[in-house]
Amino acid sequence: ATAAEGPRSLFALSAAAVSRSMGALERDVWELPGHLLRRLLPLLTVFRLERAEGAARRAGLSTQPIWRKLWDEVMKIRLPNSKNITCWRKKFLETFFSNVLHGVLDVSSDWRLNDHHFSPLLHSSPHVSQLTLCNMLQGAVELTAEHNQQVLENLAGSLRILNFQHLLSSDQSTRRSLVLLLHRLIHHGSVSQVSIYSWPVPDTVLLALILSMSAGFWRSGNALAYHSSPCGLCREEDKTQSQEAAQERAERGRCDEREWSDGENQKGSPRAQEEADAEVNGRRADAHLNSVLSEPRSPPLRNQACEETSSKVPCDPTSIQGGSFPRCVSDQPSCHPVLRKTRRRLKSAVGKRRRCLRRSRGPHADPEDLYDFVFTVAREDNLGLLDKNSATEGENAENWTSSSPGSPCSGHAGCKKRGGSAGIFSLKAAHRFRSVSTLELFSIPLTGETCRTLSNLLSSWVSLENLVLSCNDLGANIFCILSGLRALSRHSDCRLRVVRVSDIFSQMPCMELVRCILSAFPQLHILSVSFDLKNPLEGNRPAGNPSCSEAEIPESCLEQLEIRFPREPLHTVFLLPVLKASKSLQQLSLDSATLPCSQELGLLLEALRECNPNLKKLSFHDVNLAEHQKEVLLLLQFPVVQEITFSFCRLFESSTTEFLSEIINTVKRNSSLKSLRLPGNRLGNHRLVAFADIFSEDSSSSLCQLDVSSNCIKPDGLLEFTKKLEGHIQQRGGQIQFTHLCLFQNWLDQDAETAQEALRRLKAVCSVVSDSWDSSQAFADYISVM
């Protein structure tokens, strides 16, 4: 070794010795000068490196390169969006936590992960903001184990997104662990989003459990015991509620004494008989609550429990708020002077009956006691009361909209039997905790029973801001979901701002669904409705659910509207009221629509010009515009639109050279257009070369992004485009705003050398996004272009 290498080798030996003795030397190491600390940091374990963050910051050092190297060497995962990761420390430790939790990563496999002073889960948990639980929920069992109590406490403060993926059925013990986990992370934690993915055959009990607790509903007591002791965070609340219950019992006792003096005079009256019947039927309803789990499941779209209880209890739907509680209770003469106390007493009475049921089971609760509430959410109608916002709801609870007789849920069997939002009554008997603001359900078939559960939860889920339902095989159950959403819209404190509904088959026309949702939620910012195929039985909608296409739409706050039509004709007359009500609309996307006549697109353009002055992004996908060249040119002339997409719209299928020139000249004159996306329009080589003239010296275009993916472009055409673009840039003195070119799925593999030269020269001009696509798959398309 040379003399210069000696000190470096000596330092390496010293640093290795220091790293092995960090337990004793840690404080001294943090005080080292920056140039020494920089060389020592890569020799630390991940746990010491995490603790060194403060010292490194004080020394003006960044640990990000070290964490990135750890990711590459330990995780060995190549991330496609690695440029968007702002903190590799968080990314590494979050993934490290998940891999250790699920047994994917062995900490003994790398010396940097193995430090006996630290617990892998405990010390990485504060960095976890997103967690995925899968399969049989082994992760939930591990996190609620007694030795991981502090890990769970850390997650309660750091976790924001909780995902469930590929779930399987689980036993009672696992579900109890899940209850503890959800209660701590959602009800007493910081989780704001729950997403469930890919559950082809969902366990309805488990799914309803996750949905109910995400909505903030559950019972306290034995169900929320943690290691044989009640949840500490619930103790104070339970203590307060116990005091209130004692006070209510005392008030009820005084009320009963007053009633007793008049009771003999009322025995023979019809009202007294009605009260007696209601009391008996109330006991029957309580008995039904206990036996729900043992009953056979009701088939989809048929609420058996609702029908049974509604036939037993004589109720007048207009006699009390919500229209589903026995009139006899609210008509007691002794309670008229104190209406507010009556509400409290009735609510308390329901709670007392349920507490008595639990006490009657003895000190050791049946495991099923934990889950009887799940089914009552969807199947029990006659217990509890509506909250203070329900006074106006009850009058119209059986209708999707009181102002429109053409409401989709006004006669749906599953919803009308419930009396609109009646299903939330059973929820009122449970404790209401903190709830999440985002719910996403992807690729989960929802049965009629589950849809009723979700509808009831939605009806009072005022904290919900984002709702995503994707590929849930809703069918006619969409009307049940709409009923719950309509009930939610009547709450003055409703926060719903984003709704995305997508499925394979549509049960109702897309525009009808859009208008129904928007008429109920004018405060929405984003609305996306997407269907792949039209249901051949769409015309057979449930009885009593006429079209709501004429529902009045109030002025809305809608900023983004996305509609994917299942090959439906685009009738502008139905879209026009939506556009007129959406003055703030900034993004409009129309996908897979057919144009029944040439005038429809012209009417749409006129409506956009008149009604949506703030429109910034306009997108058409898989809409045949081959015969609408005039309208395409008018769209490109919009003075305020900054991004236009014509994706797979067959623009140049039957076009002429004149049309190509007109497009180029129109874009050259439009100074507001920033992005032009033309994937899948069969540009070919010669049209791509012509597009380089958009950046000529006489152009006033401000175009920054051009997407020509899937356009049959070959390497020689790309090279010619590049040379022509370089010439225009040189003429303009190097001043050009063009920054991004997208070339996915083009035929660049046919001449790799020419393609590499073109890409190399293009990257000196702008950012180029491409791929190594096998063009042999597109030979038929190439023939059609030739």
Side-chain angles (χ1 to χ4, degrees), residues 13 68 105 150 192 206 290 329 363 440 599 604 705 710:
L13 292 173
R68 174 60 193 270
L105 182 63
Q150 187 57 48
S192 59
L206 189 57
N290 285 332
V329 178
E440 298 180 340
Q599 289 80 16
L604 175 62
Q705 300 182 15
S710 304

Side-chain angles (χ1 to χ4, degrees), residues 263-315:
E264 294 299 324
N265 298 329
Q266 298 181 4
K267 280 184 178 180
S269 65
R271 181 185 300 274
Q273 185 62 40
E274 186 180 3
E275 291 172 356
D277 292 342
E279 184 177 357
V280 171
N281 286 304
R283 294 195 187 101
R284 292 178 181 174
D286 286 337
H288 174 74
L289 173 64
N290 285 332
S291 62
V292 166
L293 276 179
S294 60
E295 293 180 0
R297 298 283 171 83
S298 58
L301 295 178
R302 180 174 175 84
N303 195 333
Q304 181 180 357
C306 292
E307 295 171 2
E308 290 175 357
T309 53
S310 62
S311 64
K312 293 177 182 178
V313 182
C315 298

Side-chain angles (χ1 to χ4, degrees), residues 97-103 119-122 131 133 136-152 155 173-174 176-178 180-181 226-227:
F97 178 92
S98 179
N99 289 350
V100 171
L101 178 66
H102 294 104
S119 164
L121 294 180
L122 179 62
L131 178 63
L133 300 177
M136 299 187 70
L137 296 170
Q138 303 95 325
V141 176
E142 177 66 18
L143 289 176
T144 54
E146 189 167 5
H147 61 273
N148 281 325
Q149 186 171 357
Q150 187 57 48
V151 175
L152 190 57
L155 289 177
S173 176
T174 301
R176 188 173 294 275
S177 296
L178 180 62
L180 298 175
L181 183 73
Y226 187 73
H227 303 306

Side-chain angles (χ1 to χ4, degrees), residues 254-274:
R254 291 191 294 271
C255 183
D256 291 341
E257 289 177 2
R258 290 195 299 269
E259 291 175 358
W260 179 259
S261 62
D262 297 330
E264 294 299 324
N265 298 329
Q266 298 181 4
K267 280 184 178 180
S269 65
R271 181 185 300 274
Q273 185 62 40
E274 186 180 3

Side-chain angles (χ1 to χ4, degrees), residues 567-601:
R567 291 298 170 189
E568 289 180 1
L570 172 62
H571 293 294
T572 309
V573 66
F574 296 136
L575 182 58
L576 185 58
V578 176
L579 298 178
K580 285 184 176 179
S582 308
K583 303 293 184 182
S584 303
L585 190 66
Q586 298 182 17
Q587 300 183 40
L588 175 63
S589 176
L590 302 177
D591 188 343
S592 302
T594 59
L595 300 174
C597 62
S598 58
Q599 289 80 16
E600 289 294 337
L601 191 56

Side-chain angles (χ1 to χ4, degrees), residues 402-510:
S402 58
S403 61
S404 172
S407 54
C409 206
S410 59
H412 181 235
C415 296
K416 191 168 184 178
K417 287 286 184 181
R418 291 187 295 114
S421 56
I424 66 173
F425 300 141
S426 292
L427 298 175
K428 292 302 178 181
H431 284 211
R432 189 72 185 260
F433 296 95
R434 176 186 175 275
S435 56
V436 301
S437 59
T438 298
L439 176 67
E440 298 180 340
L441 304 179
F442 296 95
S443 301
I444 306 174
L446 300 182
T447 63
E449 181 181 350
T450 305
C451 285
R452 286 190 292 274
T453 298
L454 180 57
S455 176
N456 294 333
L457 293 171
L458 289 174
S459 64
S460 62
W461 200 334
V462 294
S463 69
L464 190 65
E465 299 178 9
N466 304 279
L467 175 64
V468 179
L469 302 176
S470 178
C471 297
N472 303 123
D473 196 19
L474 292 176
N477 291 321
I478 184 68
F479 300 113
C480 193
I481 301 298
L482 292 176
S483 179
L485 288 174
R486 185 60 183 183
L488 174 62
S489 70
R490 299 190 187 105
H491 290 262
S492 59
D493 52 349
C494 172
R495 303 177 190 172
L496 192 62
R497 296 296 181 268
V498 178
V499 173
R500 298 182 184 274
V501 179
S502 62
D503 220 326
I504 303 297
F505 293 101
S506 65
Q507 188 66 27
M508 58 192 299
C510 284

Side-chain angles (χ1 to χ4, degrees), residues 734-748:
Q735 300 297 323
I736 188 173
Q737 299 185 35
F738 186 49
T739 57
H740 290 82
L741 177 65
C742 190
L743 292 166
F744 283 121
Q745 294 186 348
N746 280 297
W747 300 352
L748 303 183

